Amino acid sequence: MRYCNNRAEDVKIAYIGGGSRGWAWNLMSDLALEQSLSGTVYLYDIDYHAAKNNELIGNKIPKYYPEYDNFTYKATETAAEALQDADFVVLSILPGTFDEMESDVHAPEKYGIYQAVGDTVGLGGIIRGLRTLPIYEEYALLIKKYCPNAWVINYTNPMTTCVDILYKTFPEIKAVGCCHEVFGTQDVLITALEELRGITGLTRDDIKVNVIGINHFTWLTEAKYKNIDIFPVYKEFCEKYKTTGHGKEKEAENWMNRFFKGNQRVKFDLFLRYGAIAAAGDRHLAEFCPGSWYMKNPESVAEWGFSLTPVSWRKDRTKELMAQSERMASGEERFEITPSGEKGVAQMKALLGLEDLITNVNLPNRGQIPNLPLGAVVETNAVFTADSVTPVFAGEIPAPILGLTSRTVENQQLVVKAVIDKDLKPAFSAFINEVSNHLDLEDSKKLFNEMIENTKEYLGMYQF
Amino acid sequence: MRYCNNRAEDVKIAYIGGGSRGWAWNLMSDLALEQSLSGTVYLYDIDYHAAKNNELIGNKIPKYYPEYDNFTYKATETAAEALQDADFVVLSILPGTFDEMESDVHAPEKYGIYQAVGDTVGLGGIIRGLRTLPIYEEYALLIKKYCPNAWVINYTNPMTTCVDILYKTFPEIKAVGCCHEVFGTQDVLITALEELRGITGLTRDDIKVNVIGINHFTWLTEAKYKNIDIFPVYKEFCEKYKTTGHGKEKEAENWMNRFFKGNQRVKFDLFLRYGAIAAAGDRHLAEFCPGSWYMKNPESVAEWGFSLTPVSWRKDRTKELMAQSERMASGEERFEITPSGEKGVAQMKALLGLEDLITNVNLPNRGQIPNLPLGAVVETNAVFTADSVTPVFAGEIPAPILGLTSRTVENQQLVVKAVIDKDLKPAFSAFINEVSNHLDLEDSKKLFNEMIENTKEYLGMYQF
Amino acid sequence: MRYCNNRAEDVKIAYIGGGSRGWAWNLMSDLALEQSLSGTVYLYDIDYHAAKNNELIGNKIPKYYPEYDNFTYKATETAAEALQDADFVVLSILPGTFDEMESDVHAPEKYGIYQAVGDTVGLGGIIRGLRTLPIYEEYALLIKKYCPNAWVINYTNPMTTCVDILYKTFPEIKAVGCCHEVFGTQDVLITALEELRGITGLTRDDIKVNVIGINHFTWLTEAKYKNIDIFPVYKEFCEKYKTTGHGKEKEAENWMNRFFKGNQRVKFDLFLRYGAIAAAGDRHLAEFCPGSWYMKNPESVAEWGFSLTPVSWRKDRTKELMAQSERMASGEERFEITPSGEKGVAQMKALLGLEDLITNVNLPNRGQIPNLPLGAVVETNAVFTADSVTPVFAGEIPAPILGLTSRTVENQQLVVKAVIDKDLKPAFSAFINEVSNHLDLEDSKKLFNEMIENTKEYLGMYQF
Amino acid sequence: MRYCNNRAEDVKIAYIGGGSRGWAWNLMSDLALEQSLSGTVYLYDIDYHAAKNNELIGNKIPKYYPEYDNFTYKATETAAEALQDADFVVLSILPGTFDEMESDVHAPEKYGIYQAVGDTVGLGGIIRGLRTLPIYEEYALLIKKYCPNAWVINYTNPMTTCVDILYKTFPEIKAVGCCHEVFGTQDVLITALEELRGITGLTRDDIKVNVIGINHFTWLTEAKYKNIDIFPVYKEFCEKYKTTGHGKEKEAENWMNRFFKGNQRVKFDLFLRYGAIAAAGDRHLAEFCPGSWYMKNPESVAEWGFSLTPVSWRKDRTKELMAQSERMASGEERFEITPSGEKGVAQMKALLGLEDLITNVNLPNRGQIPNLPLGAVVETNAVFTADSVTPVFAGEIPAPILGLTSRTVENQQLVVKAVIDKDLKPAFSAFINEVSNHLDLEDSKKLFNEMIENTKEYLGMYQF
């Protein structure tokens, strides 16, 4: 990497999971649009063909958009090749297949436990963690070996424990976990300001927020637009829409969002109860609350205005994307460049010293949230500048939210412990302590065993 | 108070709730047996007649036992009179009547929520706290006014929040909360040593333990007899009795224990799962765990070998004790002196500088348990010596237990906040976060309102 | 205040000490140059004439510079008038007169204790604190009364304890302490990069630093320009100039700097010893070290290449500035607008939500420096955004510097305690614990009494 | 080891430095007097002859005192032999010889720096630490290898850093550092109670104290006898004797104390200044204060009523003791059994579960002193019980003492860092930050180099 006229050239990015569709294509768009960077993206994926397709797609960009010729793409056959001397590493993988995810999400349903996403916390999140984190231990060691000074940006879920195990395995790692859920909440605040105060033309960056919590159970304890405190506005908004919800129709238009929709009723309910702005999608938020609140059964989910995303939908969606990938790789279909709204490329630019950035990110707690344990991975704002990310002091988790939050934090730490010790016992302790788990000890044991069995191909490293 | 030949004379003890039966009689016995102290116990109770009876009973002791003439008893008509210049204050009250307790314990049953005791945590514990703590705020202020240097020993439940509000209201107060549950667990360990190792003749003081946790969800993380680590012995014991339980018959003989019995199966189950010795009765322990574990319904409670103590039993029992009180006050029945096994009098002796004592006690966390919040009231060992109680460093709550513990701690802090702010909202936040509450938000609200309504006579100070 | 097209209009700034020369004129320049703000500056000073002069000077700006007509100036006869509903409060006062400062700085000389500045720490800093902080207590209360939501920017020394007492007196205050010393160090790093690496054209904002410490004993533990780690460059620079120093001549040209000069030898020596970049002027840094190191006597000060600023110089300088003030007020001399390099106006702009800013600032420690006490005022980077300043996590003070730092922190806390309790005893404890004080207890007492006597007109509130 | 009728038999004690005179003989006396223990003491010393003498002396005890036949003594040729399967390890060594100590103590004198003891802190303490701690690293590893479950009792100075390095090297070690200085202070309090209140017949155990600080700079923040607060009594005592001192004559009678004497004037002065009872001998206390306070020169030391103990005295004394050792080993002189006043044997008894003990001890800070760094070795009370030592919460170091204390703590941590890294640089950082060091940087460097040179035979492991 070198600098030339306030541009960073020859930047080397390793993309682990480089055969992915959504995330990789987002990155390609954002890199094309960021003309202060140029270089090469090395794509590694256990599905080499998928990575190769992305190489072909990425390298066609300058053909369609001659002004966007700043990055070259290259699929690699080994992770080592991709990582060697990388400036940045992007981690975005699917641990196992959608078959295992199907078990994570749907196996508990016959016991009356429903999950909207099933990849973060809850019973599915725990099992997914057991499957994912050993892979992350390996990547941490590869990064230590091949590019110890690289900045690592993680997108994989379960975000919190993935970032945690990277730091536990290679404590000097320079890793952050990125998530866009807060941005969507900023959009809701913009809508409220527009609808109730007639303020128009705002963008997310105009909404200054204090972010606090853990990934997908993140909260805003301050939100300002210039000298306007947005909290009273949002309160009005919540009161107005608490029973009907807001925004469903618009989102429903987009077929892609069919199962990601949500009309914010959970968010509004949480605000009116706790006085802080829940800053993630309703599907995620509901998973951190007792199952009886928002996900007692599919009917109550529908009433609360969000969806349980079936894994079958993900499978179908993937087939469509794979077909699209083939079409774009072959040149049959043109790759469309659109800004993704993600912050990954802006973070790279900041880390290269080109422009400071303040954004929310997942990092080990060094005191930014004083009433969560030191070392636990938490989500707050951080300052990104030349080769440096430092968390901003976020304050305390508000008292009524602390119980729900700390319980999940402690479960996450048990999962990490299970992975480090390769011992399922702490994982089961987390499983029975999950807020959504209303089973007795016997049924819990049966379900745990069943879910473990379903994903056992990926759990060979544990003592059973 | 003055010293004479290593005895403390003219000690003044104020007993608030001095008309009580069990606790007051225990104290009378223990004081009689402790010949290094002498003085007067001032008995104040909102039921003056009950206090007066205890005055009569106490003052008859020297008649039956001429060697035990060290204390005089005196009922007072005001708390101020009892507290004025007291050296010690004993707090042991019933907040409201058993009618309110009946609601605390049994109102949730029609929603399928069962409680074994209902006075500590859980839905009943929260409501009881709302009723009790405002009374404790008043006593804290009276103590500040009449006897700021007195040592205050609390026996009332909910222990944790009672002690907490004393310190929050009068931060310089010298108060401790005492509970005998750990002692019973030491007895279980003695039994295990006897049965499995043939060691006989042990007393509780031979079993050296590290106590950690919160009241009624207390744990032993070390237990030694001389150089014997008791943990492996206890593990063997738990394995042996995990399905049958241990000790039921013996306890069942004692009618008084009919509804306090427990065959330790919960205790054994928790040890085998978590590796630490749960050090409270099964009825208490079960209330800190998800309702589905040990109290799904009366049948599962029976299977786990313990009982749900009905408040009707308490009412009957009280009638019997009241009758006995009249008989003893009139001289018809003789007051029997037996050591209670409580530590209150030994604590007084230590605080008077006569003999150091190490015992477990409830105190604000100053760091004795580093992974619980500072200021939260916790239970650990402490050193009692001349005019001083200092907690002993207990270490961290073991990881798998932390989730259950911290969740309750946070609920307790919400209840204290509700009382200080005289605002029921934080109390409802605790109510829906209770580990035993599997209701949806609507039912939770209904039940909360009903329980509040049932005890509203004592809740006039809150904003509704 | 209101917004109009991304400008903030009608901003109300209260300037306490508004008759000052240097600081007030800096602010006038910076405000004129910041066209996204407009409004009124209310100037309050115990010397009303001086404030009035500044009103006249400020209001002449649009005459000379018609493009800079954004601010109006108004002298007030009371502080209340200036503070009423202010959006910002600037505090920049001289506590007492230069006669008292003369005692602070020079009285210790006859005991062989020399001070380069004497306004921050050391014997002079302690006495100055005793004189200044009671005034700050009053201002904190006035701010609470007249403009509790204003942002308060302090420039007065002793910076640390001034900010501390503001928070101790009115805990909800929104106050920051600003100091430019770090900026000067960024300039040194620019010079090093230019001289040793040939990199030209850099500005301070290009040098990304992690700031940590206490005011005037501030350190950089990271310094980056793009992907260049500046530490090795600076090490080379320090080695090269450790005996000769660097930059004296250039500065000496400027008569104003005659007594502020410094050839960085102290800074270089500290870096080579401790491995962190001391980020304040040598005159300040030397005062935090044992007197024997850099200020044994005037000769050793000269050898180390810096100056002991005599208060007589300050008196002379003030006379000149007063004359200049009269000339500018009368229109005889034109007020020159030049950017001051201070960050105060940029901070205001950020706090108004117009542009985020990351800069170093003095704030109570909420964990940004984990190995200094919570609550102590420390200097680190912070994020300034709409109505919000949050410290950035700075890490730990490096081990070999911690001893010197924590000792001063503890002395500062003793001074604050002395002021709050109006008791000179803790101040004397600080006095004898000062790193520069090599006197025996008797001489310390004599000197303390003498210095107190010299400033006693301002110490009427203390018990002697 | 085994138990028999509440006695512990076959206890194995390893005494490292087992050829010592004072400490070993003290232990022999105390063991003989403690009839609830029996077993063998293995004596290892680099001077085998000295250890052998002690074997002979110890084994003669039953001859003179048939009732004291509980322990056997055995000199070993290797440390391993002594340590193998030990129940207890006593560490009490002289690092290097008195020649090196002569340099530690007296080399600084020609620069005007005086030291009363020179083995704890100060310039001598630092150099002694560099010499001692590498030996302790080796012993920590030997203990890990040969007796990982043994309890280790350290008597060697510098106490704090010796205990620290044991824990840093083998974190699971069960080690405590014991010091008798507090006991002497309890004697002073007894004297005050007797003289001013007429209370007679007290023993140390009657004086209940809260101990806080670091070894040899330890303080009492509470002291009670029954319900009497001793602080006002001690204040009266200090006022009475602040100029004359107290107790010199009596101590001077004892030739052994000629150079250990002290008339408490330093202790009284510190109390009157700081309001806490300094609980170590004046010779030690003075070393933690600026040199100008109590040790400006030999005259001021004399005026303050204590002594600078010359190492030549130690040499002479050792010769006498060696001669006595020979006489006792040969049977020419009888070994006299007298209780030493040390707590080591009582600690062993408590650790064996025979009788609980509360006493002050040096342990890593786990929160017992919240305003000193976690992990730093501090001195507070602790509870000794079966196989367990847990510190008692001591509270915060009082504000005016914190500056002196934390500065030393930080120096001690630098010395430990120097030893772990085998790098003299941090040691020099400590050297120039020492409170007694008034030299400029150049002289400091010269003196440091000279002192290092004088002890270089023992410093071969460091990079120079």
Side-chain angles (χ1 to χ4, degrees), chain D residues 109-223:
Chain D
E109 288 181 354
K110 64 177 159 301
Y111 292 82
I113 296 171
Y114 296 90
Q115 300 178 88
V117 191
D119 69 347
T120 305
V121 291
L123 307 189
I126 288 173
I127 305 300
R128 184 188 181 96
L130 295 175
R131 200 162 67 232
T132 313
L133 272 54
I135 303 173
Y136 266 63
E137 285 181 305
E138 284 175 34
Y139 277 113
L141 295 175
L142 289 173
I143 288 163
K144 185 178 181 177
K145 183 169 176 191
Y146 291 110
C147 53
N149 291 314
W151 279 94
V152 179
I153 299 176
N154 179 58
Y155 288 109
T156 307
N157 283 329
M159 175 61 78
T160 301
T161 47
C162 282
V163 174
D164 197 341
I165 201 94
L166 289 176
Y167 277 93
K168 290 263 188 345
T169 310
F170 172 30
E172 292 76 23
I173 203 167
K174 304 193 287 191
V176 298
C178 294
C179 178
H180 53 198
E181 295 284 324
V182 168
F183 312 148
T185 306
Q186 285 170 312
D187 289 340
V188 177
L189 301 182
I190 288 172
T191 307
L193 283 168
E194 190 171 336
E195 187 172 323
L196 299 177
R197 292 291 182 276
I199 299 167
T200 56
L202 298 185
T203 67
R204 289 170 184 173
D205 288 345
D206 293 316
I207 307 298
K208 310 297 184 182
V209 294
N210 186 53
V211 177
I212 184 166
I214 51 176
N215 184 245
H216 291 165
F217 200 54
T218 322
W219 301 78
L220 310 180
T221 52
E222 286 185 30

Side-chain angles (χ1 to χ4, degrees), chain D residues 67-87:
Chain D
E67 71 278 29
Y68 295 154
D69 64 345
N70 49 338
F71 273 91
T72 305
Y73 293 83
K74 178 152 185 31
T76 70
E77 302 208 19
T78 65
E81 213 180 325
L83 293 171
Q84 185 71 54
D85 299 323
D87 298 305

